[in-house]
Structures are given as C-alpha cells and as structure tokens.
Amino acid sequence: MDFSRIAPAAFRAVFGVESYAQSQVDHTLLHLIKVRASMVNECSFCVDMHTTDALKDGETTQRLFGLAAWTESPFYDERERAALALTDAVTLLGRGGVPDDVWDAAVAQFGDEGTAHVLLAIGMINLWNRLMIATRKLPEVTG
C-alpha cells in the first residue's frame, strides 16, 4: 500500500508535524535519532533512507554503524547519548514509561523545550517506522 497515495491528506498532516520536528532539532542529532529508532524497530526502508540522508549530510559511516551498539561506542558526545537513550526508551516504551535517569539526562542536555522537540522527533520516526513496516514498504535494491 502506498500510504501517501491512498490517504494523501493524512500523509500531508503527518509530514507537517515531521517538518516542524525537522526545523527544531539539529540535523546531525535528528539523523542519529531516526537511524537508531529505525534499527530498533527493524524498519529496513527507514534505515536505508535515513542512513543515505545522513551520509549525504556528512555523517560518518563509523558513527552510523556504531549506532547498533551506541552505548559501547566512543563516537557520541553526552548530548547525543542523552538523545539516543531517550530514543531507545521511547521506542521500546514499556509500562513504566521512560526511566527517570534517562528523562533527567535529556532535560539536563536540552532543557524542557528542547526535550519536547527531541521527543517529538522520536515519536515521528516511530510513527513513520510503523507506517512503513505495516504497509510493507521496502528500500530499492541498488548497485
């Protein structure tokens, strides 16, 4: 199913929120959030799209590959680590919600408003992942 063709008004509405999130979160950080959540959700379409976009914007392969084991990788600063921890907690949201230490670290790095924007970006990529997985959207094979 091509969601954008079947429900174009809904697609435009979702993309509107996506555009807002993109305007509020640093693009380097946004790429990391999108790739990490897509890895956790096993969305091959989104992993392919967002790693390609990140590479075009100057991200390194080392940092992109490192996202698979970011907690053990030395490639990310404290700000990025706070965002990645929040990404994992929200993407794998359980009954207890986001752990206090993860939330507190995000607020310490981004403040309340910045954390809200990071949270929105995380929510958006999780929505996109679910839409692409549910509609069985796959990346194009190249090369």
Side-chain angles (χ1 to χ4, degrees):
M1 171 189 291
D2 181 348
F3 189 83
S4 65
R5 186 180 56 78
I6 301 291
F11 185 83
R12 282 190 305 273
V14 171
F15 197 76
V17 178
E18 171 69 28
S19 294
Y20 175 80
Q22 287 180 16
S23 74
Q24 298 300 311
V25 177
D26 170 77
H27 281 215
T28 298
L29 189 63
L30 191 60
H31 287 308
L32 296 177
I33 289 167
K34 287 180 177 188
V35 173
R36 177 59 188 171
S38 299
M39 285 177 168
V40 171
N41 286 322
E42 298 182 10
C43 182
S44 65
F45 179 82
C46 293
V47 168
D48 180 67
M49 174 194 293
H50 297 300
T51 55
T52 299
D53 290 348
L55 288 168
K56 285 179 185 173
D57 283 349
E59 187 56 84
T60 68
T61 55
Q62 185 179 49
R63 283 171 40 95
L64 290 173
F65 294 150
L67 286 170
W70 72 267
T71 60
E72 301 297 323
S73 300
F75 314 133
Y76 314 101
D77 63 28
E78 288 307 308
R79 186 170 168 271
E80 293 166 336
R81 289 181 175 287
L84 290 169
L86 188 59
T87 300
D88 283 1
V90 172
T91 301
L92 299 169
L93 195 61
R95 288 182 178 257
V98 175
D100 289 343
D101 62 324
V102 171
W103 185 261
D104 293 344
V107 171
Q109 290 295 321
F110 302 103
D112 288 337
E113 185 177 8
T115 301
H117 292 139
V118 169
L119 183 59
L120 181 62
I122 295 166
M124 287 310 305
I125 189 55
N126 274 281
L127 174 58
W128 287 120
N129 289 165
R130 280 147 180 77
L131 291 173
M132 295 305 106
I133 292 168
T135 59
R136 297 190 170 121
K137 182 86 169 162
L138 297 173
E140 290 184 28
V141 178
T142 60

